Structures are given as C-alpha cells and as structure tokens.
Amino acid sequence: MNKRTPFLSALIVSSMILVLAGCGSAAKNDSAEPAAATVAGKDKLKIETSFYPMYEFTRQVAGDLADVHLLVPAGTEPHDWEPTPKDMAAIEQADMLVYNGAGLESWVDQVVSGSDSKGTTAVEASKGLELIPGTEEEDHDHDHDHDAADGDAHATEAETGHEEEPALEHEHEHEHDHGAFDPHVWLSPKLAIGEVRTIEAALSAKAPEHKAQFEKNAAAYIAKLQQLDEQYTKELSGTKRKDFITQHAAFGYLAHTYGLTQVPIAGLSPEQEPSAQAMAEVVKFAKAHQVKTIFFETLVSSSVADTIAKEVGAKSAVLNPIEGLTAEDEANNLDYLQIMQANLTALVKALNE
C-alpha cells in the first residue's frame, strides 16, 4: 500500500494542476469580451448634444461611429434648462459638444469658459447662418399690412467648409444674449441643412479617418431635408393667406424662407407672458384678418392661445417648434422629419381656411 502512495499523490497533484489551469483559462476567456468591447468603444466618438434637433442632426451624420447623448431630457423646455454637475462632467469627458447657439443655450458660455477639458470640441451648429434679430419684447403693431419680408430678416444657408471649433476654452467669435437673436433656425429646412453641414465638417475634422462616412451620412440626410424643403415650397406657395398667429416667436426663419409672416403673441421665450396690450393687438389682428386658427406649441401651456382663440371665435392647434420630444412623440417614434411634415400639414390647413 505504501508503494501506491507516491503514485496516488502524483495523480492528485496533476489533477489539481489541470483544474487550476482550466480555471485560469476560463478567467482569461471571461475577460476577453469586455476588453474587446473597451477597444471598440475607444473607436467611437463620445458626443454630447444640447437639445433634440442637435441630437437628431448629429446622430444622422455620425451614424454608428459615435455615441450621441442628449443633455436636455425629453419633455423639458430647453430655453431655461441648466446643466447639472453630472451633465458638466459628461461634457468635459466628451469628445464633442454640439449646440445650436444664437443665444438658445444660455449656459454654454459658462461651460465653455469654466471647463477643465482640453479635448472637448464645442460646435455651434448655427455658426455661419445669418441670424434674425429678435427681442423678448416683440413689436406687436399688427395693424399694418404684413409683407412676408417685413418681420423676419434674411437668413441664408451655411457654407459647407466650416473649420473645426476649438476646444471648450475657446472664445466665441460672437456672443449671443438670449433675445438678441432668434435662435430657431432649425425650423427652416433650408437652414437645418446648414446646421447639418456644420456638424459634418466638425466631425470630419475631429475624426478625419471617418470623413468619407460622415460625408455620406450627411448627404443622405440632407437629401431628405431638401425633399422636405421642396414640399414646403410647393404647398405653401399657393395658400389663400400668408400670415399665421403663434403663441411665441419661434417660426420667423420658417416664415421668411417660405414667404409667410408669423404674428407672435409673445416673444422668443415660450415662458414669456404677453402684456395685456399685446393680447389686445393680436385679438384685433385676428378679427380684422378673420384668422380661424391660433397656434400653440408642445412643452408649454396652451392657455394664452386658447384665450385668444375663444375671444375671436377661432380654434387652437399645435405648431411644434421641435424644442424637445414629448412622451407621446417618443411613444409614436416621431422624429424631426415627421414632426416637420405634421407642421406643414397644420400650416397648409390653417392658411387655406
């Protein structure tokens, strides 16, 4: 029996070595997938976007080459939104921050000047577009005839060759206070094309190895925007009337692009309460011009539009400024193009009443 002991001991030791080797191999296999995922993740740009249109435009251009994140949550009005410390940290860790500019994101200047990040490229999508001046206190003298070129200054399409924006410490070439300019450029499909081109140029500069794919993605989305622009041009050119009443002055670029005139109840901010005089002037205009639809918008109360509609015997309807998706929009999987189609349908109906 003693002669068999060394053999048994050797067998037991060998078995233990095999078991331990197997465990080590298993441990290596378990860690292989996360490691591969980490490597793949490094190839993707991390992009923070301010609010929904910037998110959608960036996502369409970046495709699967970037992780695109939306800062302003769904259902939140972006004009007065402020980033949390968590949001600030996400921006500093991102490769790029895409925002509209023109004064919409009042928090951007603070982020740009106060960030510790050296690698986050700040991209102002409206850069290169000629902006419409605007103030919080709109001029509500609606008694004169409304020439379509009256209320909305000229807006032009951005050029394709924008240089990459510098890192977050950069100084703006032009500072915007909310109210100095109308920021709602994305509501004109022509100008949305300019914003997409600006985003594409910035992405191509940030990751030149993917330039061809970014250009391809942008071209595909721009083709859809051009088709949308053609629909707007065709369907709005022959309407009976050219003026429409909105709850706040969000549709100036759209109006200018397609030969219309918006008559806003309040100013650029949807939270602004109109004065009694402004309300009275809009009521007077609506009665004089037999306006049958008063437009309100998503994300804010429709009470002001409803009050005027009741006063003049009109109905109220949605004209969506696409400043964010509602829970209903998300449930129905709606996107920028679909909401813009719905806006066109609503406008054509109201302008032919």
Side-chain angles (χ1 to χ4, degrees):
M1 291 179 65
N2 292 337
K3 290 181 180 180
R4 296 175 61 188
T5 300
F7 172 76
L8 289 172
S9 298
L11 182 62
I12 291 170
V13 170
S14 298
S15 299
M16 291 178 67
I17 291 172
L18 289 172
V19 170
L20 289 171
C23 290
S25 176
K28 288 181 180 179
N29 289 338
D30 286 344
S31 63
E33 287 187 7
T38 301
V39 171
K42 287 181 179 178
D43 292 335
K44 286 192 173 186
L45 293 171
K46 297 174 74 172
I47 304 175
E48 295 292 330
T49 59
S50 58
F51 73 118
Y52 174 72
M54 299 303 100
Y55 167 81
E56 180 66 6
F57 296 165
T58 304
R59 188 179 67 86
Q60 291 291 336
V61 177
D64 59 3
L65 296 174
D67 290 324
V68 183
H69 177 250
L70 175 62
L71 287 166
V72 179
T76 302
E77 211 292 317
H79 285 77
D80 299 317
W81 180 86
E82 295 286 342
T84 65
K86 182 179 179 181
D87 295 322
M88 296 284 284
I91 292 169
E92 290 182 358
Q93 293 168 11
D95 296 298
M96 185 175 288
L97 167 66
V98 179
Y99 65 101
N100 181 76
L104 179 70
E105 301 95 337
S106 59
W107 48 270
V108 164
D109 288 342
Q110 181 180 356
V111 171
V112 167
S113 61
S115 174
D116 294 327
S117 175
K118 302 292 184 182
T120 305
T121 300
V123 180
E124 183 179 14
S126 67
K127 183 179 178 181
L129 301 177
E130 188 173 344
L131 303 177
I132 294 174
T135 61
E136 287 300 300
E137 292 298 327
E138 294 293 317
D139 178 7
H140 287 284
D141 183 10
H142 301 304
D143 292 330
H144 61 275
D145 290 335
H146 282 262
D147 186 348
D150 255 358
D152 304 306
H154 303 293
T156 58
E157 188 174 315
E159 296 182 2
T160 58
H162 291 293
E163 295 181 359
E164 177 187 353
E165 286 282 304
L168 273 179
E169 295 86 339
H170 80 279
E171 292 289 334
H172 285 294
E173 291 186 5
H174 44 87
E175 297 294 333
H176 299 308
D177 292 326
H178 193 177
F181 294 93
D182 181 350
H184 303 85
V185 294
W186 65 90
L187 289 169
S188 165
K190 281 186 183 295
L191 298 178
I193 289 171
E195 294 203 298
V196 170
R197 285 176 171 158
T198 296
I199 293 167
E200 180 274 312
L203 284 169
S204 293
K206 190 74 174 180
E209 68 275 18
H210 299 306
K211 178 180 174 66
Q213 188 61 53
F214 292 144
E215 290 178 342
K216 181 179 179 181
N217 293 346
Y221 193 60
I222 285 171
K224 295 178 181 180
L225 291 172
Q226 288 172 333
Q227 184 178 15
L228 181 67
D229 169 51
E230 290 169 3
Q231 287 180 279
Y232 265 74
T233 300
K234 179 180 178 181
E235 296 190 31
L236 293 174
S237 62
T239 56
K240 293 179 181 178
R241 60 186 310 123
K242 297 299 179 183
D243 45 50
F244 59 97
I245 297 176
T246 60
Q247 186 159 311
H248 95 282
F251 297 91
Y253 294 100
L254 185 154
H256 173 77
T257 301
Y258 302 106
L260 307 176
T261 299
Q262 72 164 345
V263 180
I265 301 170
L268 292 174
S269 172
E271 300 297 335
Q272 180 189 356
E273 290 292 332
S275 65
Q277 180 184 354
M279 294 272 285
E281 288 171 353
V282 172
V283 167
K284 182 179 179 180
F285 176 88
K287 289 179 177 179
H289 292 78
Q290 299 181 334
V291 175
K292 294 181 171 61
T293 299
I294 310 296
F295 286 114
F296 68 95
E297 62 195 59
T298 56
L299 303 183
V300 295
S301 171
S302 64
S303 60
V304 172
D306 291 338
T307 298
I308 291 180
K310 184 177 180 180
E311 177 71 20
V312 302
K315 64 180 180 295
S316 57
V318 171
L319 197 62
N320 195 334
I322 323 182
E323 293 177 344
L325 297 182
T326 65
E328 184 178 357
D329 293 336
E330 289 189 324
N332 292 323
N333 294 316
L334 296 183
D335 60 17
Y336 172 88
L337 293 172
Q338 291 169 312
I339 296 172
M340 286 296 289
Q341 288 280 1
N343 280 348
L344 176 58
T345 299
L347 275 170
V348 169
K349 181 180 179 181
L351 296 175
N352 280 315
E353 291 176 327

